[in-house]
Amino acid sequence: QGLPTEWGKLGDKAWDLAMVRERADVEKDAISKSETVHFGSLQALCHEKHAELNLDDPEYKGRIVFRGDQVKDEEGYHAVFSEQGTSASHAASTKFLDAIARFPGCAGEDKDARSAYTQIKLSEAPRLLGLGVIPSTWISLPKSRHPASWAGMKDPVVPLLCNLYGHPLAGLLWEKSYQEKLFKVGFEKINGWEGLFVHRQLQLFLGVYVDDFHMAGKAANIAPMWKKLGELIDLDPAVPFSGNTYLGLLQEDTTISASVVQEKSDAFKVLMDSKVVGSPATPSSSSS
């Protein structure tokens, strides 16, 4: 369920069937030019969304991923990748955003990035990672996805064109890309909190967990900021915090008492006016 749609969607941007070659020929060319190339395969997956909620009518999602655990180079050796990792997302930062959304004059909304990783072309990787060049990646498609024109080919492969889920660098490339876009519209990183950003001028906070964007702050500024981000990142329509599921938790429509509002509003003002926004009490290990 959903797999045929996923195959069709990826086939339009993740590979070009017209660029097919025999794997042996690609290997031979790479060796003759002393170049490194990578070879990998795909895996079709199907899973239940929000399985932790035990819904009566569950929704299933299909996804085609790159087999990052079985990448070989032109000599047949396992490929070696950078050890750089991606940022964690703190559960405490989500609670902070949820509280901000319930202050007077504030609100909170979620948006998902559509097929987030695949919004990035692999040709962008050298610039995003600060590298001169990265090896080209060739993939083998399941025989059921071979067109008739490939009949007679021994081991056909096509170049991987976009950043596909499962690639060892996929998460890092996505993080570098979306952060670059956030900085363009005025967001800054918050010291001590991975995946949390602040826009001081518009008094907005944004938490990012992979493809989930969790924004809270001045209600009047949220829609204009979504519009700006939508020009740089392909995003789904906004969903209010209330009644939405985020990180496996169903959010309720609640308010904060007057005394707490006063206390937290003062803290909010301090955060917004501070040169450095951070939380030394947040350990790096407490991620969601």
Side-chain angles (χ1 to χ4, degrees), residues 13-142:
K13 61 181 177 180
W15 52 79
D16 184 347
L17 298 180
M19 300 175 71
V20 64
R21 296 185 64 189
E22 287 284 5
R23 175 170 174 165
D25 293 337
V26 178
E27 293 173 337
K28 182 178 179 181
D29 285 350
I31 293 173
S32 67
K33 297 175 183 177
S34 298
E35 295 178 348
T36 299
V37 295
H38 291 162
F39 296 94
S41 59
L42 306 180
Q43 177 70 51
L45 302 174
C46 186
H47 62 274
E48 180 183 341
K49 294 186 65 175
H50 305 306
E52 71 281 358
L53 299 180
N54 296 315
L55 300 175
D56 293 333
D57 187 18
E59 178 184 354
Y60 293 89
K61 182 178 179 63
R63 177 158 287 172
I64 311 300
V65 302
F66 181 75
R67 288 292 304 271
D69 61 326
Q70 295 186 354
V71 187
K72 301 291 185 67
D73 65 15
E74 72 285 354
E75 298 280 3
Y77 295 105
H78 282 285
V80 177
F81 295 91
S82 167
E83 292 297 326
Q84 296 180 78
T86 56
S87 298
S89 181
H90 299 288
S93 68
T94 300
K95 295 177 182 178
F96 167 74
L97 292 169
D98 291 347
I100 291 295
R102 288 160 173 80
F103 287 174
C106 293
E109 291 182 347
D110 296 320
K111 279 201 176 193
D112 288 347
R114 296 189 182 97
S115 302
Y117 290 2
T118 65
Q119 293 187 31
I120 307 164
K121 295 181 179 179
L122 283 185
S123 59
E124 298 180 68
R127 178 184 62 80
L128 291 171
L129 301 180
L131 302 174
V133 66
I134 65 168
S136 60
T137 301
W138 295 75
I139 55 174
S140 300
L141 297 178

Side-chain angles (χ1 to χ4, degrees), residues 97 100-103 105-111 187 199 202-206 213-230 235 238-241:
L97 292 169
I100 291 295
R102 288 160 173 80
F103 287 174
C106 293
E109 291 182 347
D110 296 320
K111 279 201 176 193
F187 277 102
H199 196 296
L202 299 181
Q203 293 186 292
L204 295 172
F205 290 91
L206 177 68
F213 288 70
H214 200 61
M215 188 188 299
K218 294 294 185 179
N221 296 333
I222 292 179
M225 178 51 69
W226 281 137
K227 183 177 181 180
K228 286 184 179 180
L229 286 176
L235 298 168
V239 179
F241 281 5

Side-chain angles (χ1 to χ4, degrees), residues 211-277:
D211 59 349
D212 296 323
F213 288 70
H214 200 61
M215 188 188 299
K218 294 294 185 179
N221 296 333
I222 292 179
M225 178 51 69
W226 281 137
K227 183 177 181 180
K228 286 184 179 180
L229 286 176
E231 295 172 355
L232 302 173
I233 303 172
D234 188 10
L235 298 168
D236 282 330
V239 179
F241 281 5
S242 177
N244 187 37
T245 300
Y246 186 76
L247 300 183
L249 298 175
L250 182 62
Q251 302 173 87
E252 298 180 354
D253 186 10
T254 57
T255 57
I256 299 177
S257 66
S259 60
V260 175
V261 165
Q262 182 60 49
E263 175 188 345
K264 299 303 181 184
S265 291
D266 290 342
F268 177 76
K269 292 174 183 177
V270 171
L271 284 174
M272 293 307 306
D273 293 338
S274 176
K275 295 288 185 181
V276 178
V277 181

Side-chain angles (χ1 to χ4, degrees), residues 125 162 177 278:
C162 74
S177 179

